[in-house]
Amino acid sequence: LDMTGMAGVTNFQAFEVGGYYSFDDPSGFRVENNTLAGITATNVTFLDMSLAEEMMTSIGGNIVGPNTATTVTGVRSNRAATIDYSNFFGVTDPVSGSATQGPNMLMSDPMFVGAGDYRLGAGSMCIDTGLPTLVDSDGTRSDMGAYGGPLAP
């Protein structure tokens, strides 16, 4: 999901998951290969989870930033959740609550093509460093962000 270039918002929240969920799929839910960048707001939150019970989650391959905001929150969760294989550039609060960062997190400029084009530019550290379980259409390991992974436009 490409969430880019919005302005004039006080509070922007990309995803909120709450309540009680029961999944037949034992893999739980996934928040994968999204780009949240170019947002101008007072507060920006990528993912806020308030769950009634522990469940499997896959949170990875995402790019958050750069954004223009007083506070940028990555992942906030009341239950165990690990974010990994993602890039949180300029995020003031990458994880909070019971959320943790995995060892493959980046905190660097994603090097977008520019001028409103949020595809990855040549030399970006986000190329071929997304979720290792996903493959891009070119057969290589997934890129991070909305333009990476098997369902990329």
Side-chain angles (χ1 to χ4, degrees):
L1 183 58
D2 182 348
M3 298 166 281
T4 56
M6 300 169 89
V9 180
T10 301
N11 296 303
F12 181 89
Q13 183 166 305
F15 296 101
E16 180 176 15
V17 179
Y20 177 81
Y21 290 88
S22 178
F23 291 96
D24 291 331
D25 182 353
S27 66
F29 71 93
R30 297 182 300 272
V31 180
E32 300 173 341
N33 287 92
N34 299 284
T35 299
L36 178 63
I39 308 295
T40 300
T42 304
N43 301 299
V44 174
T45 301
F46 176 63
L47 174 61
D48 189 358
M49 297 191 309
S50 180
L51 302 173
E53 64 180 32
E54 298 288 338
M55 65 174 37
M56 294 294 298
T57 59
S58 175
I59 308 167
N62 302 293
I63 298 174
V64 178
N67 294 292
T68 304
T70 304
T71 304
V72 180
T73 302
V75 177
R76 179 175 36 228
S77 179
N78 70 323
R79 301 287 181 181
T82 301
I83 178 110
D84 208 0
Y85 300 101
S86 293
N87 188 3
F88 281 9
F89 179 59
V91 175
T92 53
D93 189 12
V95 294
S96 62
S98 295
T100 57
Q101 285 181 204
N104 304 292
M105 289 291 294
L106 299 177
M107 305 287 185
S108 60
D109 185 342
M111 297 177 57
F112 294 122
V113 170
D117 187 342
Y118 293 95
R119 292 175 297 133
L120 299 173
S124 171
M125 293 179 65
C126 299
I127 295 173
D128 296 336
T129 57
L131 288 166
T133 55
L134 299 179
V135 177
D136 283 338
S137 60
D138 64 2
T140 62
R141 180 172 162 178
S142 175
D143 297 342
M144 293 180 189
Y147 297 96
L151 302 176

